[in-house]
Structures are given as structure tokens and as C-alpha cells.
Amino acid sequence: PRLLSQFFFADERVTRVVAEINGLDAEQDPQQYLVLLNQLHLSQAHLLAVLEHIMEECIPTQRHSRDYLVKFPEEVLVDNLGNHMLFAAECLLAGTFPELEEADGAQLRPQARNLLCSLELVRTVLREQSLSQPSSYPEPVRAVLVRFDRLFAEFELSYVSSLVAVKSPEEIYRQQEIIVLFCETVERALRLGYLTQEMIDGYEPLLMFTIPRLAIISGLLIYPEGPLSLERSPEEMSRVFSPFYNLLKKIRDLLRVLSVEELCVLERSLCTAE
């Protein structure tokens, strides 16, 4: 159950797979080479997961901030992001630049080198600690972990920023506005009887269509100063809605001619239409 013991065996697994890869002629046995590469990927992912638990236990108040993750596009935030970063660092150190322009890759190589050297030091220190005192983390161990955590975060931010367009503070704020709009829409729909709490608690699939539909009406009529404000230019709106700027203007113009009773009928129909 001790994390350092788990780390020792996870590290042993990585070392063993690397040794097998180094002793294999990939051209003579490409299929076995691919099998070993997959094993390496899985073993490294497990090693990083154990290391993450160790840092949470050992240096919980000294972890480097990960607030920058809110800037990343949703498709980047995958479960194995850390392992992908490690693979990217290894490729960069080897002189290959997957997914990157050569200039960006060359600029990131020093960071990749520092990160991988720090990881090797962490592995060495934790292995020694697991064999001597597997239940304690002396100051030298904590210092090594703090540095690795910082280098990992810095490389992650730099690499992803070179790979994709990260969200600006303005875009993050616009997304928060959308979240508020959806929350207010749900509260209003519950108050007017369009939705029930049981539907929400039961994750009714129809809500995936109903709430966005109602939110568009709310954003155009009920909260016109919010994220759907058409007084802004398309460039000032969230990227979720900006491509539909002209369509939203047409919808708003149609909604404005409806009476209160007609609007109520429309909203109720949007809660049931497929």
C-alpha cells in the first residue's frame, strides 16, 4: 500500500521494457517492437500516475499551479495528457518535432531536456528512498519533486501553446458568461414549470437539447446584456456563438414580435420537440 513501494515496482517495469526495446532489432521484428512500445506507453502512464499520488501526499502545498489548463481547448484535456507530454519531450530531445514547426521544436528542446533530466533524478531519488525508508519523504526528496513538478507544468504550457491556440482571458470570461446564462436559464425553466427537478436529477437526455434552446431565447430576450448580446461584434462574442451571429439576429427579430403567451407556447414546445 505504500506509494514509494508502488513507485519502485512501476519504475522497475519501465526499466525492464526499455531494456527489451533496446535489445530488439525493430527492422527484424517490427510487430514485437510495436508491442513493446505499447507496453512502454502503459508502464510510463502508470509510473506518472503513482508519481502524481506521491506529489499530492508529499508536497500538496508546493505544487505548481495548473490554472493554465482552463486555457486549453477541450480536445487537449485528455486523461493521458501527462504521458503525451513525456512522449513529446522524448521526441524533442531525439531531434524530432511531431506536430510542431521545426522552429518551435528547437525552442522547446532545452525545456524538454531539463524535464527529462529532472524525471531521471526523481526516479533515482525515489528508488533509493523506497529501498531505505519507504514511509518518509525527507527534504531532499521533496525539493526534487517540487522542481520536477514545476518543470513539467512549464513544459506542458509551452508545448500545448505551440501546438494549438490556447484560450485568451477574454474567451475564458466569455465561457464563464455562458455557464451563468445556462444556470439562469435552468432556474427560470424550473420556476416556469418547463422543466422539473426530477428531470435534472435523472439526467434526462432531452435536456441536452432543451436547455441550449431555452438558453438562446433567454440570452436574446431575458438577458440581452449577456453572452448573446448582439450589440457586440461577432469577434467580441464567444466562439461558441460567433459563427451564428446573423442567424441569432434573425431569431431575435422573430422573437420580438411574439406576445407573452406565444413566447410561452414556443418555449414549452422547445422542451418537448425532438
Side-chain angles (χ1 to χ4, degrees):
R2 290 177 297 194
L3 288 175
L4 282 175
S5 298
Q6 294 178 32
F7 182 87
F8 177 85
F9 289 107
D11 186 74
E12 283 278 283
R13 176 62 177 164
V14 171
T15 302
R16 185 165 59 252
V17 175
V18 170
E20 291 183 40
I21 291 176
N22 291 337
L24 182 70
D25 188 336
E27 294 184 357
Q28 292 293 326
D29 196 347
Q31 185 173 358
Q32 179 61 17
Y33 180 72
L34 292 177
V35 170
L36 290 175
L37 279 182
N38 183 59
Q39 291 180 7
L40 179 62
H41 175 81
L42 295 175
S43 61
Q44 285 180 330
H46 179 58
L47 181 70
L48 288 177
V50 176
L51 183 55
E52 178 68 22
H53 290 309
I54 289 176
M55 290 190 291
E56 282 298 312
E57 180 178 88
C58 179
I59 54 170
T61 62
Q62 297 172 279
R63 299 295 305 273
H64 195 280
S65 173
R66 291 321 197 264
D67 290 346
Y68 59 81
L69 290 174
V70 300
K71 298 182 178 182
F72 291 177
E74 298 297 327
E75 62 270 18
V76 174
L77 298 174
V78 293
D79 291 337
N80 62 343
L81 179 59
N83 203 41
H84 183 75
M85 291 300 103
L86 183 59
F87 175 74
E90 291 170 339
C91 290
L92 287 169
L93 196 61
T96 59
F97 310 113
E99 308 172 311
L100 291 176
E101 296 292 335
E102 185 172 350
D104 291 331
Q107 188 173 2
L108 286 170
R109 282 192 71 186
Q111 279 185 279
R113 180 183 298 105
N114 290 338
L115 173 61
L116 294 176
C117 289
S118 179
L119 177 59
E120 286 304 309
L121 181 58
V122 164
R123 292 177 62 184
T124 300
V125 169
L126 290 184
R127 279 176 64 90
E128 293 175 352
Q129 188 66 25
S130 67
L131 293 172
S132 57
Q133 294 178 301
S135 299
S136 64
Y137 301 101
E139 180 56 35
V141 172
R142 291 197 295 271
V144 167
L145 290 173
V146 168
R147 183 173 185 273
F148 169 75
D149 188 47
R150 175 179 60 81
L151 291 175
F152 199 103
E154 291 174 351
F155 177 77
E156 184 174 60
L157 176 58
S158 298
Y159 182 82
V160 175
S161 298
S162 298
L163 190 63
V164 298
V166 299
K167 300 171 187 173
S168 67
E170 291 77 19
E171 178 65 18
I172 294 171
Y173 178 75
R174 291 169 192 150
Q175 288 192 340
Q176 291 172 338
E177 282 190 314
I178 295 173
I179 293 171
V180 172
L181 172 63
F182 272 56
C183 291
E184 291 177 339
T185 297
V186 171
E187 182 180 353
R188 177 174 175 270
L190 289 171
R191 186 173 67 252
L192 296 177
Y194 297 154
L195 306 176
T196 66
Q197 191 63 47
E198 289 72 20
M199 295 172 66
I200 296 174
D201 294 340
Y203 300 101
E204 173 63 45
L206 185 59
L207 296 180
M208 296 179 61
F209 303 97
T210 298
I211 294 176
R213 291 167 176 171
L214 294 177
I216 290 175
I217 294 180
S218 295
L220 293 174
L221 291 185
I222 312 302
Y223 311 108
E225 303 301 320
L228 283 181
S229 173
L230 297 178
E231 300 305 316
R232 307 174 179 179
S233 67
E235 293 75 20
E236 294 174 313
M237 298 179 69
S238 169
R239 285 180 288 180
V240 175
F241 294 116
S242 59
F244 311 104
Y245 184 82
N246 291 329
L247 177 60
L248 289 171
K249 289 183 68 174
K250 294 178 181 179
I251 294 174
R252 182 195 60 182
D253 294 341
L254 290 172
L255 292 174
R256 283 177 170 175
V257 303
L258 298 179
S259 66
V260 174
E261 293 76 15
E262 289 172 330
L263 180 63
C264 180
V265 171
L266 173 62
E267 290 185 306
R268 287 190 179 280
S269 67
L270 292 177
C271 295
T272 57
E274 294 295 332

